Amino acid sequence: MKIRLITLAALLATQAFAEETAFDFKDPKGVNNIVFKLDAPLESISGTTNGISGVVLADPANPEKIQGKIIVDAKSLTVPNPMMQEHMLGAEWLETAKYPEITFEIKEVLNSKKNENSGTADVKGIFTLKGVSKEVIVPINATYLPGRLGDRTGGKVQGDLLVIRTNFQINRGDYGIKQGENLDKVSDVIDISLAVAGAAPKK
Amino acid sequence: MKFSIRTATRLLALFILSSCLFWWWFSGAEMGWTKTYVTTPATDEITGIVYEVKQEKFVPGLDFVVGGTGLSFTIFAASFLFSRKPHQFKKP
């Protein structure tokens, strides 16, 4: 009886995820990127990162069914000034030695609108920065590119691509990053722009 | 042409100040912090993702100018420690 139940559950689980494809967001080409901007009255800071990874399970035919996690290596965040970078990654600010990852875990997809191979949606998820997790809703723009992985790999690997773009804001104070301090030089509001492509090789 | 140590020190201060200002000005007069890399935008043909290509380059910022000016003023101030008269070498 127990074995039958386990088999049934396994079959149901297989059915439930039958149409979902795993898109890997680790990009060896270094194209996937996040740009962050802080515009304070005395100083404007702009930086980037390519240290992005994570897997998203998505069903292109059904955008509501999406789950997964995008992970950013906190130590990969860069700004053009080396001293500023050292401070940013150091114990006073991001404390990357203790909190090496910044993550966004998808929980729910709201208001999805599909138009052929692209669409928009509001994604509710858990954003974790410096060990503090908060629920956020980010507007995303997704484009599904079936069979285009081969063009990107010079034909070596065939498969599909999923491109996700989003722009959203967070407040550093909400994540315990010097709340209310240095506001004239380091803005509390951080503008984040993410543009990533996930690859799903065909087996 | 003989210079006193005081004059030589002041010329050094002027050289540092002018070098800093010229370097800063001709590197694009960056109004922010000094940068050790610059970025140029590129677009991935397949995905359309716009990304930044990094290129190592030293771009002096206002902190560089302030540092250079501070150093030159310190050297200028130190010049007052030396005598006005040119240094006389004793003949053997």
Side-chain angles (χ1 to χ4, degrees):
Chain A
M1 182 66 181
K2 213 173 191 176
I3 293 168
R4 276 185 193 170
L5 278 172
I6 291 167
T7 313
L8 184 64
L11 274 170
L12 285 171
T14 313
Q15 282 297 308
F17 297 103
E19 303 301 322
E20 287 187 343
T21 311
F23 291 90
D24 186 356
F25 283 83
K26 196 163 182 68
D27 175 24
K29 291 188 89 176
V31 168
N32 285 355
N33 72 92
I34 294 173
V35 177
F36 55 94
K37 286 180 184 167
L38 296 89
D39 200 8
L42 293 181
E43 225 171 276
S44 183
I45 300 167
S46 180
T48 59
T49 177
N50 296 109
I52 303 163
S53 61
V55 175
V56 169
L57 291 171
D59 176 4
N62 187 1
E64 298 276 346
K65 277 170 83 176
I66 186 168
Q67 55 183 305
K69 197 176 190 180
I70 299 289
I71 302 160
V72 175
D73 176 8
K75 285 180 185 167
S76 71
L77 300 178
T78 56
V79 287
N81 183 272
M83 193 185 287
M84 191 186 286
Q85 165 128 358
E86 198 181 315
H87 288 176
M88 177 180 74
L89 303 182
E92 274 194 73
W93 293 88
L94 292 177
E95 214 176 344
T96 53
K98 194 175 176 185
Y99 305 105
E101 287 183 347
I102 300 164
T103 61
F104 180 76
E105 190 175 0
I106 300 164
K107 289 289 172 195
E108 195 180 347
V109 178
L110 311 163
N111 310 320
S112 69
K113 286 172 193 163
K114 194 169 174 281
N115 180 17
E116 292 185 11
N117 281 337
S118 63
T120 59
D122 294 325
V123 176
K124 189 194 276 188
I126 305 295
F127 186 79
T128 303
L129 172 62
K130 206 183 174 185
V132 179
S133 297
K134 290 205 172 284
E135 190 176 88
V136 294
I137 296 175
V138 299
I140 69 152
N141 190 315
T143 307
Y144 176 55
L145 302 170
R148 296 302 304 274
L149 180 59
D151 296 338
R152 227 178 167 215
T153 58
K156 286 177 189 167
V157 184
Q158 297 298 323
D160 305 334
L161 290 170
L162 178 68
V163 182
I164 297 176
R165 292 181 177 86
T166 181
N167 295 297
F168 63 101
Q169 292 183 332
I170 58 160
N171 292 69
R172 65 177 169 90
D174 294 345
Y175 296 87
I177 304 169
K178 291 194 143 196
Q179 188 172 24
E181 292 179 55
N182 304 84
L183 291 173
D184 53 341
K185 289 179 185 168
V186 185
S187 166
D188 185 45
V189 177
I190 306 173
D191 287 302
I192 298 171
S193 300
L194 173 143
V196 290
K202 280 199 174 131
K203 290 163 190 171
Chain B
M1 194 163 61
K2 285 181 181 174
F3 289 122
S4 65
I5 295 178
R6 176 184 277 200
T7 309
T9 312
R10 287 178 181 180
L11 284 172
L12 176 67
L14 182 66
F15 174 75
I16 290 171
L17 179 66
S18 54
S19 298
C20 279
L21 288 171
F22 270 98
W23 194 0
W24 173 73
W25 182 261
F26 287 105
S27 299
E30 169 64 42
M31 296 303 286
W33 292 94
T34 296
K35 295 175 178 176
T36 53
Y37 71 81
V38 291
T39 58
T40 45
T43 307
D44 182 67
E45 286 179 13
I46 311 299
T47 60
I49 291 176
V50 177
Y51 61 103
E52 291 180 340
V53 179
K54 284 178 193 166
Q55 189 187 356
E56 280 190 26
K57 188 182 177 187
F58 184 81
V59 182
L62 281 179
D63 53 331
F64 181 82
V65 175
V66 170
T69 307
L71 178 66
S72 64
F73 271 79
T74 307
I75 292 169
F76 180 80
S79 73
F80 286 99
L81 298 172
F82 301 107
S83 146
R84 279 185 187 176
K85 289 178 185 172
H87 186 75
Q88 298 290 323
F89 290 99
K90 285 181 184 173
K91 287 179 182 174

